[in-house]
Amino acid sequence: MPKENVAIKSENWRLNSHKDLNDLQKDIIESRDPNRLEVVVCHGTGCIANGSPKVSSAIRESLLGAGINVKLMPGIKTTGCHGFCSRGPLVIVRPHGFFYQRVTPKDAEEIVKKTLMEKQPVERLLYKNPKTGKTILTEKEIPFYSLQERIVLHNIGKVDPTDIKDSIASGGYQALAKALCSMSPEQVVKEVEKSGLRGRGGAGFPTGRKWRSALKAIEKKGYPAYVVVNGDEGDPGAFMDRTIMEGDPHAVLEGLIIGAYAIGAKQGYLYVRAEYPLAIKHLEIAMEQAREYGLLGENILNTGFSFDARINRGAGAFVCGESTALFTSIEGKAGNPRPKYVRSVEEGLWGKPTVLNNVETWANIPLVIEKGADWYSKIGVPKSTGTKVFSLVGKVNNVGLVEVPMGIPLVKIIEDIGGGVIGGENFKAVQTGGPSGGCIPYSLKDTPVDFDSLTKVGSMMGSGGMIVMDKHDCVVDIGRYFLRFLEEESCGKCIPCRLGLIRMRKILDGFSSGTGTKQDIDDLISLSQALQDGALCALGSSAPNPILTTLKYFNNEYLSHIENHKCPAGVCKELITYSINADKCTGCRSCARQCPKQCISGDKKKPHVINTENCIRCGICMETCKFEAVIVS
Amino acid sequence: MIKFKINDKEVQARSGWTVLETARQYGIEIPTLCFHESVASSGACRLCMVELREENWSKLVASCIYPVSEGINVYTETERVQNVRRWIFEMLLSECPSSKEVKEMAKKYGVFKTRFPVQNPNESCMLCGLCTRVCEEVVGLSAIATLDRGVHKKVGAPFLRPTEVCVACGCCVTICPTNAMRSRIDSVRSNTKMQLAKAA
């Protein structure tokens, strides 16, 4: 257990009632000077990779070196991901709220001098709205943030995830105290049912109904029962759950304890993939601190309710995000899914009644309990209430994490919040729901983003990945990518999934190498049907979704691969040729120098020619050329 | 007794029975490869898929593990069922082409050849997992298991090294529906003492 961040152990920390918690919250808030300068540095995994730890230590050093003559030393706070990942590392100076983006260690001195000492913003680090060209001072005014509705993420970017006091000060564990001290388990379940909250892991099963059937199963089979957090987020390009676990671990924990109280579970598990070391570290710290404050473990808040949880690390199998595979993995066996004709609320972990919910679902529970089901169900649309966190990635300007109310049109997320596609054109398609989701074309851009509408267009909500594609993305290539991913990640237990995925991928390989036939398309559809019907778990049965949706919406692109042996997006290597536009070529020779096969010839200051016979279509010449003279056809 | 219908025919089953057990009781044929009475069903081969139909919905379930319930309507030869079956047979013909049993069963259901290229002409294992289940459940040793995942999955002793845990009882060989285990058992069984004696 990491100890460095844990406060001194003392029995006095224990909170024994709701009042104790309120008093502590008040004490913490009162002990803080609201005018104290605070430098908030984003320490999400993305920003860390971008060098934010160096930024924070540079700021610390320049602070010490500057010899500030103010009464109160400015504090440096490291928080979870702010969401605006494409602009990282991010630094916010409170209380003014100056929002600095793409900060490097070199900028530290200027920030300290100008902002902390003179209270002036550093102009060049501020965000500039690319559409209006206006410089924006604070986070709230940036369209990326102002158009979002951050309720699940409300603490992330504000609190230090390794300090429970910070969480408590901003209202953490209030919902738990409310549930434990003034609500019966039945009331808690009713409230969750009433809120209309649906599971955020993909299928969108109503959480309240799940809890209710768990209670029924417990009535029949008796205790023990378990609550489990599914933190095995594996979709390519998705990082919602990671961010929540890293940035606000207490919210997940609080939700889990409330869920345990509702069904009477004594033991919980957090299944987090080992590739998320920071999330695991922060959850471990959070649990340790919660135990010290009497919010986890024996006799929580002196109400007589005891519950403890532990973290299980996943070993990197995508399929372990499937509920039954996750259970077998926790049980210590190979992560193979079990047939689910008896639902896991009845026969889950070790064959006992189990409530398994996604990280984001658990993080929603405190909101439902604290603010009430009526408040919650007003957000979003009637059958999909609340908000959803999406990781917006791909060819979009503002890559990052966004939280929007359910039912918002797709185009609004991409154009308004995401800032549109890089290069300013319309997006070609959006892949929602990860490898099991579907591609939504631009023509359906007004599709409301909620569970049922996405299913209607052949895609799914999934866990919230949103990959934006532009005209340089080939649908056949995308299909190949996802099938290859799933083929590697299939557990191999059932035949349709183990053998079917590789067969489907080989058919697509044929398209991209120009050997496909029209018969192959029919085969692909029929085989997809067999997978949807026959596969044992959702990995196999939802795997054909990207293929079927692209076949539906981009049929012409498939036909062009088959009939004309052309890849319109210029991606499939065997169907494209590179050539040089003589009008644009200046004869600088830089492409010829870079060409690994040395198949570009031509004298200086004269148009060059590519020898297509030797060309391996690596595309380096196109990337090198500054005059856009290299064309692909 | 639980009453329901298979192919529009009234059938009766005891509670706890599966659809497959009931169907076999009534002589209704459903093909299976990974099913065996002496071990727990795993629903891996997906050949035993049947369609459940209600007025406004239908779904496919694996009959070897689907528990019977009152009033369900089971169909064993619908188009969707046949589609799944046909593709599985075609894929098996290319994946384990040397198995006579698979070939014969495929023929019975109208699949004579495969459109896929044959991978390894000598392969007969289709990874149904019966051998590993019998070793775990009946023999109680778990000397063999499935290793790796997805397309790389195979059956063998841990790390594919001969193991002393194996007592060479031959259960896995007997239960194997395609005789694939017959050629593999030698790579599982090991006797260190004997090997040491040989080396000396």
Side-chain angles (χ1 to χ4, degrees):
Chain A
M1 280 290 147
K3 282 276 179 230
E4 69 265 36
N5 288 300
V6 175
I8 310 151
K9 204 160 193 160
S10 150
E11 276 302 305
N12 296 341
W13 293 111
R14 243 194 105 83
L15 304 170
N16 283 321
S17 62
H18 197 166
K19 192 178 162 290
D20 275 6
L21 182 72
N22 287 338
D23 289 348
L24 179 67
Q25 186 185 10
K26 226 170 94 193
D27 283 352
I28 299 168
I29 295 172
E30 274 172 10
S31 70
R32 288 178 177 174
D33 182 353
N35 295 320
R36 186 194 183 193
L37 283 170
E38 198 171 43
V39 185
V40 179
V41 186
C42 175
H43 266 47
T45 296
C47 277
I48 290 179
N50 253 329
S52 68
K54 281 183 192 155
V55 172
S56 56
S57 58
I59 293 175
R60 189 167 293 128
E61 267 169 38
S62 5
L63 257 179
L64 293 173
I68 290 188
N69 47 0
V70 283
K71 269 191 228 149
L72 210 60
M73 190 72 169
I76 295 176
K77 193 191 250 180
T78 54
T79 67
C81 177
H82 293 229
F84 206 174
C85 302
S86 58
R87 295 280 165 172
L90 306 173
V91 173
I92 297 171
V93 183
R94 296 221 162 90
H96 319 73
F98 295 150
F99 181 87
Y100 297 144
Q101 36 115 35
R102 293 197 177 146
V103 182
T104 59
K106 283 179 204 155
D107 304 324
E109 218 160 299
E110 203 177 339
I111 293 177
V112 170
K113 233 182 196 166
K114 228 172 162 187
T115 311
L116 298 184
M117 297 170 83
E118 293 165 19
K119 314 219 160 137
Q120 293 301 316
V122 182
E123 284 287 330
R124 64 183 174 89
L125 294 174
L126 290 171
Y127 177 76
K128 211 185 236 174
N129 190 343
K131 277 179 189 155
T132 57
K134 257 170 107 182
T135 318
I136 296 172
L137 261 183
T138 63
E139 185 181 351
K140 280 179 201 148
E141 299 161 65
I142 297 172
F144 178 79
Y145 288 109
S146 63
L147 295 167
Q148 291 185 43
E149 186 164 349
R150 288 164 90 91
I151 60 167
V152 174
L153 304 175
H154 72 287
N155 265 344
I156 302 177
K158 291 197 180 72
V159 303
D160 181 351
T162 57
D163 186 1
I164 193 171
K165 283 199 230 154
D166 231 19
S167 258
I168 289 175
S170 76
Y173 293 101
Q174 286 292 343
L176 176 68
K178 183 182 172 188
L180 256 55
C181 301
S182 58
M183 289 170 89
S184 69
E186 176 61 31
Q187 280 172 318
V188 174
V189 177
K190 271 215 175 109
E191 200 71 10
V192 176
E193 276 180 322
K194 217 170 111 191
S195 72
L197 173 66
R198 290 171 73 170
R200 301 297 197 243
F205 192 82
T207 309
R209 204 193 298 166
K210 189 184 264 183
W211 292 16
R212 176 71 62 202
S213 23
L215 280 178
K216 273 186 196 144
I218 292 166
E219 218 168 81
K220 214 162 56 184
K221 296 176 70 170
Y223 286 102
Y226 300 101
V227 281
V228 183
V229 177
N230 185 348
D232 193 71
E233 175 184 53
D235 287 358
F239 51 96
M240 300 75 55
D241 296 350
R242 187 192 76 202
T243 303
I244 295 173
M245 289 187 285
E246 282 175 7
D248 197 6
H250 289 287
V252 183
L253 207 55
E254 192 183 350
L256 184 70
I257 305 169
I258 295 171
Y261 174 68
I263 68 158
K266 296 266 174 290
Q267 177 68 46
Y269 292 86
L270 296 105
Y271 190 88
V272 188
R273 62 199 304 232
E275 288 94 327
Y276 286 178
L278 194 63
I280 292 170
K281 186 178 150 198
H282 285 182
L283 280 168
E284 273 174 349
I285 294 171
M287 282 161 66
E288 185 76 3
Q289 292 179 339
R291 276 191 202 106
E292 274 170 31
Y293 279 78
L295 297 164
L296 183 70
E298 292 288 316
N299 197 7
I300 296 171
L301 284 171
N302 210 17
T303 54
F305 171 67
S306 302
F307 167 78
D308 213 332
R310 56 165 292 179
I311 295 173
N312 269 66
R313 277 178 293 174
F318 177 72
V319 72
C320 287
E322 200 274 346
S323 58
T324 54
L326 189 148
F327 294 146
T328 49
S329 176
I330 293 182
E331 287 165 14
K333 300 176 206 148
N336 289 348
R338 298 194 284 247
K340 265 204 286 202
Y341 301 132
V342 182
R343 284 175 303 150
S344 44
V345 286
E346 287 169 39
E347 262 179 42
L349 203 52
W350 287 294
K352 300 287 184 275
T354 306
V355 168
L356 171 104
N357 280 125
N358 172 266
V359 169
E360 201 187 324
T361 319
W362 287 118
N364 268 295
I365 298 292
L367 295 167
V368 172
I369 298 300
E370 199 193 340
K371 304 198 174 171
D374 293 327
W375 171 83
Y376 190 86
S377 56
K378 277 193 193 109
I379 307 168
V381 285
K383 279 195 171 171
S384 305
T385 55
T387 59
K388 177 81 193 83
V389 183
F390 289 100
S391 66
L392 191 59
V393 294
K395 305 273 177 63
V396 65
N397 279 311
N398 300 339
V399 168
L401 208 66
V402 300
E403 184 177 349
V404 289
M406 293 267 192
I408 186 176
L410 188 63
V411 67
K412 213 173 163 196
I413 301 181
I414 291 152
E415 298 292 340
D416 299 348
I417 298 173
V421 171
I422 301 170
E425 284 181 42
N426 292 336
F427 65 86
K428 175 179 180 175
V430 180
Q431 165 88 14
T432 65
S436 327
C439 283
I440 303 169
Y442 185 73
S443 54
L444 293 173
K445 65 181 168 35
D446 293 319
T447 310
V449 178
D450 61 62
F451 286 104
D452 305 313
S453 310
L454 287 182
T455 314
K456 218 182 274 168
V457 297
S459 184
M460 63 192 250
M461 181 70 88
S463 57
M466 201 172 258
I467 304 171
V468 181
M469 296 175 238
D470 69 358
K471 61 174 185 180
H472 299 296
D473 289 303
C474 166
V475 288
V476 177
D477 196 61
I478 299 288
R480 279 172 72 204
Y481 169 78
F482 282 124
L483 282 180
R484 181 169 282 267
F485 174 82
L486 291 172
E487 172 194 319
E488 290 285 326
E489 292 297 342
S490 160
C491 80
K493 182 174 175 178
C494 76
I495 293 174
C497 182
R498 185 181 77 233
L499 302 179
L501 289 174
I502 183 168
R503 292 295 159 214
M504 282 175 69
R505 203 254 303 159
K506 290 216 162 142
I507 294 177
L508 289 185
D509 282 355
F511 292 159
S512 72
S513 61
T515 55
T517 59
K518 274 196 170 167
Q519 173 66 37
D520 284 341
I521 289 195
D522 295 338
D523 285 0
L524 203 56
I525 293 171
S526 165
L527 184 53
S528 294
Q529 183 70 42
L531 248 90
Q532 285 183 330
D533 284 339
L536 193 152
C537 78
L539 189 149
S541 61
S542 62
N545 286 352
I547 313 300
L548 291 177
T549 48
T550 47
L551 271 172
K552 186 169 156 195
Y553 298 123
F554 299 96
N555 200 13
N556 283 340
E557 209 167 318
Y558 278 90
L559 289 179
S560 147
H561 279 79
I562 295 163
E563 287 170 349
N564 310 329
H565 303 296
K566 286 254 154 46
C567 175
V571 173
C572 298
K573 283 202 160 34
E574 283 167 63
L575 303 181
I576 54 172
T577 45
Y578 284 96
S579 55
I580 291 174
N581 182 349
D583 294 338
K584 282 190 177 172
C585 181
T586 59
C588 68
R589 292 215 40 88
S590 52
C591 59
R593 272 195 300 273
Q594 294 292 331
C595 179
K597 295 294 277 181
Q598 297 184 337
C599 58
I600 302 179
S601 53
D603 294 331
K604 251 189 182 174
K605 296 195 175 165
K606 276 181 190 156
H608 300 342
V609 183
I610 298 176
N611 176 0
T612 43
E613 244 168 62
N614 289 341
C615 176
I616 53 165
R617 303 172 187 100
C618 63
I620 289 177
C621 49
M622 198 166 169
E623 280 167 29
T624 314
C625 184
K626 287 178 191 145
F627 310 99
E628 292 175 359
V630 180
I631 40 180
V632 59
S633 58
Chain B
M1 287 304 242
I2 293 166
K3 283 183 193 161
F4 66 103
K5 280 180 184 167
I6 300 182
N7 297 338
D8 295 324
K9 186 180 150 191
E10 283 279 353
V11 291
Q12 288 188 345
R14 275 169 210 257
S15 130
W17 277 18
T18 61
V19 171
L20 181 72
E21 278 171 309
T22 322
R24 297 223 159 141
Q25 189 76 19
Y26 282 87
I28 299 163
E29 261 192 65
I30 296 173
T32 57
L33 276 171
C34 75
F35 175 81
H36 198 280
E37 300 86 349
S38 50
V39 291
S41 312
S42 80
C45 77
R46 316 307 280 178
L47 278 172
C48 68
M49 298 305 281
V50 292
E51 190 167 341
L52 293 190
R53 275 192 193 160
E54 283 307 315
E55 261 169 40
N56 47 7
W57 61 267
S58 85
K59 68 170 179 182
L60 264 67
V61 297
S63 62
C64 69
I65 35 180
Y66 195 82
V68 294
S69 55
E70 195 71 40
I72 52 172
N73 289 306
V74 178
Y75 292 89
T76 64
E77 294 295 332
T78 65
E79 202 181 319
R80 279 168 82 188
V81 169
Q82 284 171 347
N83 184 43
V84 175
R85 221 182 260 164
R86 207 187 66 235
W87 281 106
I88 292 175
F89 277 127
E90 272 204 43
M91 292 190 284
L92 284 180
L93 285 179
S94 89
E95 209 65 24
C96 45
S98 91
S99 160
K100 249 197 301 183
E101 293 77 8
V102 169
K103 258 186 214 156
E104 265 162 35
M105 196 184 273
K107 227 178 251 172
K108 201 166 146 194
Y109 287 92
V111 181
F112 296 94
K113 61 179 190 338
T114 172
R115 68 193 82 189
F116 304 124
V118 167
Q119 304 293 315
N120 174 4
N122 299 322
E123 185 59 79
S124 55
C125 174
M126 43 119 194
L127 289 164
C128 65
L130 271 176
C131 49
T132 65
R133 274 180 282 151
V134 77
C135 195
E136 183 187 343
E137 293 172 27
V138 179
V139 189
L141 288 175
S142 291
I144 49 169
T146 52
L147 317 162
D148 220 327
R149 67 168 181 241
V151 278
H152 309 292
K153 200 163 194 156
K154 43 195 160 299
V155 166
F159 308 106
L160 284 178
R161 295 227 181 98
T163 169
E164 272 186 72
V165 176
C166 173
V167 293
C169 64
C171 285
C172 51
V173 179
T174 321
I175 206 167
C176 181
T178 62
N179 279 324
M181 210 54 209
R182 196 181 279 176
S183 58
R184 262 169 222 219
I185 181 87
D186 293 338
S187 65
V188 173
R189 170 87 182 129
S190 121
N191 189 327
T192 329
K193 270 183 207 157
M194 224 164 75
Q195 276 169 355
L196 284 175
K198 242 186 209 172

